[in-house]
Amino acid sequence: MNISNVLLLAVLLSSFGSAERQDSGIVNGREAKPHSKPYMASVQQGGHHICGGFLVSESFVMTAAHCFTWGKNLTVLLGAHDLHKKDGSVRIAVKFYHIHPGFDSETLYNDILLLQLEKPAPMSRTIQQISLPKTDKDVKPKTVCNVAGWGRTGDKKPAQQHLMEANVTTVDRKVCKTAWGKKGITAKMLCAGGSVDQKGFCQGDSGGPLVCKKTAAGIVSFMEYSRCSSPSKPNVYTQVSRYLPWINCIMKSLPQAFLVVPNRFFGSVCFFDVLPAFFGEEIVNGKKAKKNSLQYMVSVQQNGKHLCGGFLISPNFVLTAAHCDHRTLTVVLGSHNIKNQNIQRFKVEQKYKHPLYNNVESGSDIMLLQLSKNVTFSRNIKKVQIPLKAKTIKANSKCLVAGWGRNQTEGKTVTDLLVAEVETIDIKVCRQQWNQKKIPENIICAGGFRSNKGACQGDSGGPLVCSGLAVGIVSFNFKNNCKYPNLPNVYTEVSKFLPWIRKITKTGY
């Protein structure tokens, strides 16, 4: 089940991977005192409430990852008590969607999403942020906490226009695991309410906070399907403290790669789990690739949508970036226009991420995709040569980078392959320019610095080609900012990984 299949509207029901999980609202609670919870946010789609959320800084609202629907714009309503009245509330559009890279829409593992706002929230009596845990520490069992939201108050009851709240009691994780059986309660989940005290949430308001001692300890995630009024299992929350490194990475704007989805949906990459993600970069100030050129270029796709670039190095292997990993991938070859009917699509049979890969900041951002069958080379499909031995690329070498993504910071993705010429940058100069921002070993820097050309959101994993050799893999740039010049773009250096490539592909590279 993909994200778009999760029904979040307050008046609908939905399950997650089984008939036992369902969205959320508040049951057996009471109306909250108006504006007593100034951190509460109503996450909305088309002006309609779909999820709860909570303000964690002037620029970020935290909610559940399953509140994200592919291709749909969201806004957040802050300072509201009655959703049908303005009453000093403020609506702000979402600029970037930072979905945790390990989110799984079937199991709801890592069900956490940071919404980066278009503009800072205006702090006031009715709009304030809530504190997050300072350390990764479990909430003790039998702690009384508070959950709030605008969802249903029972299985067959309507959604509420006024903010509701309920006090709920936390549950020992072992007890919760036993109650849920094989449904996979993990150490990153927190259980409270539901069967414990017949209070908690119901469908319609996932993403709201579980507040314990004035701190947002949990995010409303899932419960039993159609058992709001008579639950036999505890309600389940994402435990915020488990994600502090990732949260801090996002909010402190470390080096970033980019999520690409329709209609401006992209966000940064901060990997603290080696788990699925779909991110990319693209080409700024490039031009359309010439016909019968760059026939090795690959569009790596998920659900038929372009996610990342890649390049064919043998009849059955594609090289791309490790941060482009996702549960189900296909690759498209054979045309510069990825909407062309003559494209050839191949299933990915096996993915091989480099064993040292952990996150883009630590390096080894390289992945091999083994195709389900061999590609037949033709005029439109050819492989590209990679280096045969480790060799440092000289500074100021003229190279090419190509891709299908955005051609400016907030530009639209493109369907025709774009290519730009960039110059490599001395590695010492590159590190000096990045200064206190740590960049990994085994990289090449090119473009973006002292130049108006380089990579941007939409096509990580594509090749840096110098003298006909694919020497680098697009990895990341600085803060999603493609208004070059700024800092050098960073590529994984292919030649440093030749032994690993040879071992996987069983070739003579």
Side-chain angles (χ1 to χ4, degrees):
M1 180 179 292
N2 60 35
I3 299 172
S4 63
N5 289 335
V6 179
L7 299 180
L8 300 168
L9 297 175
V11 295
L12 297 178
L13 304 179
S14 177
S15 62
F16 296 91
S18 77
E20 293 195 66
R21 296 185 171 190
Q22 187 168 319
D23 268 358
S24 45
I26 303 300
V27 175
N28 292 329
R30 59 191 178 274
E31 183 177 343
K33 181 180 178 181
H35 308 299
S36 62
K37 302 179 187 304
Y39 49 80
M40 286 297 298
S42 169
V43 178
Q44 302 197 351
Q45 183 179 303
H48 298 287
H49 174 83
I50 61 167
C51 272
F54 46 105
L55 193 67
V56 294
S57 80
E58 65 176 8
S59 298
F60 287 92
V61 165
M62 187 173 290
T63 186
H66 75 255
C67 295
F68 173 85
T69 302
W70 190 279
K72 300 293 185 182
N73 288 303
L74 296 180
T75 59
V76 298
L77 190 67
L78 301 169
H81 174 72
D82 184 335
L83 295 182
H84 294 179
K85 295 181 180 179
K86 288 188 177 180
D87 194 23
S89 62
V90 176
R91 184 181 302 279
I92 304 178
V94 175
K95 184 177 183 180
F96 297 135
Y97 300 72
H98 302 271
I99 301 174
H100 191 276
F103 171 61
D104 187 316
S105 62
E106 293 184 5
T107 62
L108 294 190
Y109 293 165
N110 306 300
D111 192 12
I112 181 171
L113 165 66
L114 277 167
L115 302 175
Q116 187 171 342
L117 306 180
E118 284 277 10
K119 60 183 180 181
M123 298 300 181
S124 66
R125 179 183 66 84
T126 59
I127 301 176
Q128 296 176 25
Q129 68 188 63
I130 189 171
S131 298
L132 297 178
K134 290 183 170 53
T135 59
D136 182 11
K137 188 176 180 181
D138 282 338
V139 178
K140 292 181 180 180
K142 299 183 180 181
T143 299
V144 176
C145 302
N146 183 272
V147 61
W150 287 274
R152 295 189 180 205
T153 56
D155 294 308
K156 297 181 180 180
K157 295 182 179 180
Q160 297 297 301
Q161 68 184 67
H162 300 101
L163 183 66
M164 304 294 288
E165 67 172 337
N167 291 333
V168 294
T169 307
T170 58
V171 187
D172 183 277
R173 189 175 288 110
K174 291 181 181 179
V175 174
C176 190
K177 281 185 176 181
T178 300
W180 277 94
K182 296 180 180 180
K183 296 304 175 184
I185 302 301
T186 74
K188 294 184 176 183
M189 295 174 182
L190 170 62
C191 300
S195 60
V196 181
D197 41 23
Q198 297 300 304
K199 293 180 182 179
F201 53 78
C202 188
Q203 63 269 30
D205 213 26
S206 290
L210 178 72
V211 179
C212 306
K213 298 179 180 179
K214 298 182 179 180
T215 298
I219 305 169
V220 174
S221 186
F222 64 87
M223 53 158 290
E224 287 179 275
Y225 181 68
S226 295
R227 293 294 296 270
C228 300
S229 303
S230 55
S232 64
K233 296 178 175 65
N235 293 169
V236 182
Y237 300 76
T238 301
Q239 184 166 324
V240 174
S241 69
R242 295 287 191 257
Y243 298 91
L244 290 175
W246 178 77
I247 294 166
N248 291 331
C249 173
I250 296 293
M251 293 173 62
K252 291 181 180 179
S253 298
L254 292 182
Q256 298 171 1
F258 314 97
L259 168 64
V260 174
V261 290
N263 302 334
R264 299 170 55 252
F265 286 71
F266 55 96
S268 65
V269 177
C270 292
F271 292 91
F272 291 88
D273 294 298
V274 185
L275 290 165
F278 31 98
F279 300 85
E281 288 190 51
E282 226 295 291
I283 309 304
V284 174
N285 291 323
K287 56 187 178 182
K288 273 191 181 184
K290 292 181 180 179
K291 189 177 181 180
N292 298 325
S293 69
L294 311 181
Q295 298 98 322
Y296 48 78
M297 285 297 299
V298 169
S299 169
V300 179
Q301 302 194 354
Q302 192 263 332
N303 290 337
K305 294 181 175 65
H306 175 79
L307 297 177
C308 278
F311 48 105
L312 194 65
I313 63 169
S314 78
N316 62 334
F317 278 97
V318 166
L319 259 182
T320 187
H323 75 255
C324 295
D325 185 24
H326 195 265
R327 174 175 292 185
T328 304
L329 295 176
T330 59
V331 302
V332 165
L333 295 140
S335 177
H336 286 175
N337 187 314
I338 52 176
K339 299 295 184 182
N340 193 308
Q341 292 182 348
N342 295 324
I343 60 170
Q344 295 186 41
R345 186 180 300 276
F346 295 83
K347 291 181 180 180
V348 174
E349 184 173 277
Q350 187 71 42
K351 295 174 291 185
Y352 300 91
K353 280 191 293 191
H354 193 276
L356 295 182
Y357 173 75
N358 186 36
N359 56 68
V360 292
E361 290 85 18
S362 63
S364 301
D365 189 12
I366 183 171
M367 177 168 64
L368 278 161
L369 302 178
Q370 184 175 2
L371 307 183
S372 58
K373 61 181 180 179
N374 284 3
V375 171
T376 300
F377 295 133
S378 65
R379 183 182 64 177
N380 297 323
I381 300 178
K382 297 180 180 179
K383 69 175 183 177
V384 65
Q385 185 65 46
I386 63 174
L388 297 177
K389 60 181 180 180
K391 185 179 180 181
T392 301
I393 304 299
K394 293 181 179 180
N396 303 315
S397 297
K398 294 187 184 299
C399 305
L400 296 177
V401 60
W404 284 277
R406 301 175 189 269
N407 53 21
Q408 56 184 307
T409 301
E410 295 189 27
K412 295 180 179 180
T413 55
V414 298
T415 56
D416 289 303
L417 183 66
L418 297 182
V419 60
E421 185 178 90
V422 294
E423 287 191 2
T424 56
I425 300 163
D426 183 272
I427 192 66
K428 291 182 181 178
V429 173
C430 183
R431 293 189 186 281
Q432 287 171 358
Q433 292 301 315
W434 277 90
N435 196 8
Q436 296 180 353
K437 302 288 187 181
K438 182 182 177 182
I439 57 175
E441 301 297 322
N442 302 325
I443 59 167
I444 298 171
C445 298
F449 172 65
R450 295 177 182 170
S451 168
N452 66 348
K453 297 179 181 179
C456 188
Q457 302 92 290
D459 216 26
S460 284
L464 178 70
V465 179
C466 307
S467 301
L469 294 179
V471 299
I473 302 170
V474 177
S475 186
F476 63 86
N477 75 354
F478 180 64
K479 290 186 177 180
N480 285 350
N481 185 359
C482 312
K483 294 179 181 178
Y484 300 133
N486 52 40
L487 296 185
N489 295 168
V490 178
Y491 300 76
T492 302
E493 186 170 5
V494 173
S495 69
K496 295 296 197 294
F497 299 90
L498 288 174
W500 174 76
I501 293 171
R502 292 183 182 117
K503 180 181 177 182
I504 300 298
T505 62
K506 298 179 172 59
T507 62
Y509 286 120

